Amino acid sequence: MSRCVTVVTAVHAPSARFLPEAYRSLCEQRLPAGWEWRWLVQEDGYGDKVRPYVPDDARVSFRQGRTGGPGVARTLALARAEGAYVKILDADDQLTPGALGRDLAVLEARPAVGWATSRVLDLLPDGSTAGFPGDPAQGPIERGTVLESWTANDFRAPVHPASLFVRRELLLALGGWMALPASEDTGLLLALNAVSRGWFTAEAGLLYRKWPGQVTGQAAHTDPAERQARMAVVAARARALAQFGWR
């Protein structure tokens, strides 16, 4: 099944109730003739609170695994990935109409581009959306520029890792997501940019839900000591990959 886009979603019990909305946004996607998507839903842990929200659809597969955070869950899901491309969709987020097709078109047309991201809108509790300031212009993202911008802007990346679309072999070559309690997706983004050109699509491709239970909203996420350690290892990995000169 080479003409397949694998969509990977990590989920835990608090975010499971949003899966039907994520699924609906996926069902609304349109891909070129001959292409299809498969959705890999991976629970971070074992229990009985997530499965009831998983759609009954032959294109959807659900597995559970030991608790280790979203990066571990996504990396475990890669064992089931098929096709040339992987798209990330967090359980509480939604794709915008056409997002998957736009991502696919970028990488199909540009063999030298390894990954793509798009504009992201915050989805607020009242249903309204809000954009992020400072999005780059649509077009290629040169190697190393994400690290430069991230370092210069208090560890804020110029593009959002939750919107990532990536070549599966490149994702596997880099070992999936970093073994961190948070920022594991930023670590992957910087590693990808250290070895490959990327692409940014200016049209919004993801609605990023803001809600009280999200992991990035918890106090532990901003603990200064842990944050400093996370940022240090994320930067060190990206710089080491760049110094090796591997592409």
Side-chain angles (χ1 to χ4, degrees), residues 155-181:
F155 308 123
R156 297 181 67 88
V159 295
H160 205 305
S163 68
L164 183 66
F165 184 96
V166 60
R167 297 187 189 277
R168 181 171 63 92
E169 290 188 353
L170 178 57
L171 175 59
L172 290 169
L174 290 174
W177 287 264
M178 291 190 74
L180 294 171

Side-chain angles (χ1 to χ4, degrees), residues 65-154:
R66 286 190 288 170
T67 301
V72 170
R74 294 189 203 106
T75 303
L76 279 174
L78 289 181
R80 296 178 277 139
E82 301 177 78
Y85 303 110
V86 172
K87 174 68 175 177
I88 310 312
L89 178 60
D90 287 347
D92 49 358
D93 294 343
Q94 300 173 38
L95 300 177
T96 63
L100 207 57
R102 290 190 294 271
D103 287 341
L104 176 62
V106 166
L107 266 65
E108 281 286 282
R110 298 169 177 83
V113 171
W115 52 276
T117 55
S118 62
R119 186 174 184 232
V120 172
L121 300 177
D122 277 344
L123 177 60
L124 304 177
D126 64 1
S128 63
T129 60
F132 293 85
D135 284 331
Q138 175 156 313
I141 301 173
E142 300 301 332
R143 294 174 63 238
T145 57
V146 175
L147 176 62
E148 292 174 4
S149 176
W150 179 81
T151 304
N153 291 281
D154 192 31

